[in-house]
Amino acid sequence: MNYVTGKTIRALREKRKMTQKELADKICVSDKTVSKWETGKGLPDVAVIEDLAKALGTSMAELLTGDLRENENQSGNIKKMHFYVCPLCGNIVTSVGQGTFSCCGVTLLEPEPEQCDENHDICVEDIDNEYHVTMNHSMDKKHYVSFLAYVTSGSFEVVKLYPEQEISVRFRKKGHGMLYVYCNRHGMVLKRI
């Protein structure tokens, strides 16, 4: 079981340019208590962990594991969308950041997008302020396109497809972005639009 370490508390406190006294005042303990935590001579009680995480500007999970992550893009750019697809049931999990997800008892891997090729040629037409997307691709029960996703810096839209369905999808234009297509046999294909 992981528990907060003095090293983690000190690193977070120093990153925020706080003294031990300032941290102690924020969570209603003495600066000697904070010093004991940071030198490994004591551990914070579970009752103060939530307040400690808030005072240090981190999540409880990061505080407890010591796995400190820095959000390099504070604006939360949706163009950094990640897709995870269950190989058993076809469920789609989307995330703006990377994560660990599971479905049907399987840990999902993120498919790495490839550029379009002759077997996955995506046709995009600009019609009435919409992108009309079509493909000449097999849509039988063993080989088909599972979904299409249009991702811009501020939005994303996913359309789920099923075998024996025609690939003809319209997305309202929202600016330049990326079009992702997921083939159940060959994985993710990407086209910039």
Side-chain angles (χ1 to χ4, degrees), residues 70-181:
E70 188 70 35
N71 183 357
E72 295 171 5
N73 182 3
Q74 298 295 326
S75 65
N77 189 335
I78 292 181
K79 277 190 179 176
K80 295 187 179 204
M81 181 68 65
H82 299 270
F83 296 90
Y84 301 85
V85 182
C86 180
L88 301 177
C89 71
N91 275 345
I92 306 162
V93 177
T94 59
S95 173
V96 176
Q98 289 181 311
T100 303
F101 304 96
S102 63
C103 186
C104 298
V106 175
T107 299
L108 304 180
L109 299 176
E110 181 180 6
E112 181 149 344
E114 302 285 335
Q115 294 299 318
C116 295
D117 59 23
E118 62 277 354
N119 296 320
H120 297 93
D121 188 30
I122 304 168
C123 178
V124 179
E125 295 177 89
D126 189 343
I127 301 173
D128 297 329
N129 205 33
E130 291 182 325
Y131 289 125
H132 180 228
V133 181
T134 57
M135 288 181 73
N136 185 14
H137 189 283
S138 171
M139 286 298 284
D140 62 47
K141 292 182 181 179
K142 293 186 179 188
H143 186 196
Y144 59 94
V145 170
S146 175
F147 70 88
L148 287 87
Y150 169 45
V151 180
T152 66
S153 61
S155 68
F156 79 98
E157 187 176 349
V158 177
V159 175
K160 179 79 171 122
L161 299 176
Y162 299 93
E164 301 177 8
Q165 183 178 357
E166 181 183 352
I167 304 174
S168 178
V169 177
R170 288 182 178 248
F171 294 106
R172 196 181 94 227
K173 283 178 70 175
K174 298 173 188 160
H176 294 289
M178 293 170 284
L179 184 65
Y180 293 90
V181 174

